[in-house]
Amino acid sequence: MSSRELQHYYDRNTALFLRIGSSAGSHAIHRGLWAPGVRNGREAAEHVNTLLAEGIRANVSGTPRLVLDLGCGVGGTLFSLARAFPEARLHGVTISGNQVAIAQQLAQQQGLQARCSFTRGDFEQLRLERRADAIVAVESLVHVARPERFLATCREHLAPGGVVLIVDDFLAYPVPNGAHAMQRTIDRFRAGWRVPGLCTLETLEAAAAAVGFQRLYARDLSSLIRTSRPRDRLVALVSPPVRLLGLARRPFWANVVGGHALNRAIRKGWIRYRLLALGRPEAGPGMPGGTPPPPGEDPGTPDTDRRP
């Protein structure tokens, strides 16, 4: 998928995603995490942002001066981090001009326009004047055709001592030969949600090391995702006839089919939802080893199981 096609996809569908996917005014397009103690959809959507804030605090020395959100949507995560770090400036990048317009309006409504700014652009080709102390990317890496270029952009825009926090879907393992059901499901997810960059965690870590990043830690958050809500059951019922009728060529129905495929892949253990933290080796004493988020509500499980 070209950047122009992805731009059109989000320009056309963001309003719909906010109506059916955002939780109770959180302005989040990403999925919610139902960690222990989470009581409702808004708190589930916010839990991702909580994990990001914890990762920044644990791996950035002092208060971050600039936080960069690559694939910021309409700013939901950025606004949450602005509240977590009241002295920081924050900048979001999205391919969608419609998302930029919505994010700027929301920033004004919340009185954050002086600290939160937004740019429409392809973050694979990003050129900003300042380096960030923290870079976050929530469900945006999978949209890029070249994850290694995305990581190079992160490397170019990360200050010494900074951290990159990626929350996204990963293949649990390469699709084995003859695993036709798995391959069909993965293909439907790739096509429906426009995710050409879906890969294994090992593949991404190798690409990160190649551009100079150090793996700090990883968390598997898959167990915190709900895949059997009433809406999910309805999608499971309508997805087969949508495919048979050829409706999956339309963006809305493609998203429905892709969402059903994703839920099935997560339940089968074919796709895992993970948090990966990366740092720069030259960040100083102690940085290469990294520090996991402080204890608290269960952030997921340590990411040690890498076998089918």
Side-chain angles (χ1 to χ4, degrees), residues 15-89:
L16 175 65
F17 294 159
L18 289 171
R19 285 198 301 271
I20 67 174
S22 185
S23 300
S26 66
H27 311 304
I29 299 176
H30 62 250
R31 276 158 280 162
L33 296 179
W34 294 84
V38 169
R39 299 165 296 179
N40 53 51
R42 179 162 188 162
E43 291 182 3
E46 182 63 24
H47 194 68
V48 172
N49 304 329
T50 298
L51 296 181
L52 295 175
E54 289 175 350
I56 292 171
R57 291 191 184 98
N59 291 284
V60 174
S61 178
T63 300
R65 294 159 297 178
L66 177 64
V67 177
L68 179 62
D69 187 344
L70 297 182
C72 65
V74 299
T77 291
L78 208 71
F79 301 141
S80 178
L81 294 177
R83 293 187 290 270
F85 302 105
E87 297 180 10
R89 290 187 176 272

Side-chain angles (χ1 to χ4, degrees), residues 181-199:
M182 179 181 179
Q183 188 67 67
R184 284 195 301 271
T185 300
I186 297 300
D187 288 345
R188 287 169 184 164
F189 172 50
R190 287 184 190 273
W193 277 31
R194 277 67 170 180
V195 289
L198 182 69
C199 63

Side-chain angles (χ1 to χ4, degrees), residues 13 24 48 51 65 84 97 101 112 133 198 204 222 232 250 260 288:
N13 292 291
V48 172
L51 296 181
R65 294 159 297 178
L112 293 172
D133 301 297
L198 182 69
L204 186 67
S222 308
D232 299 321
R250 301 179 182 178
H260 173 54

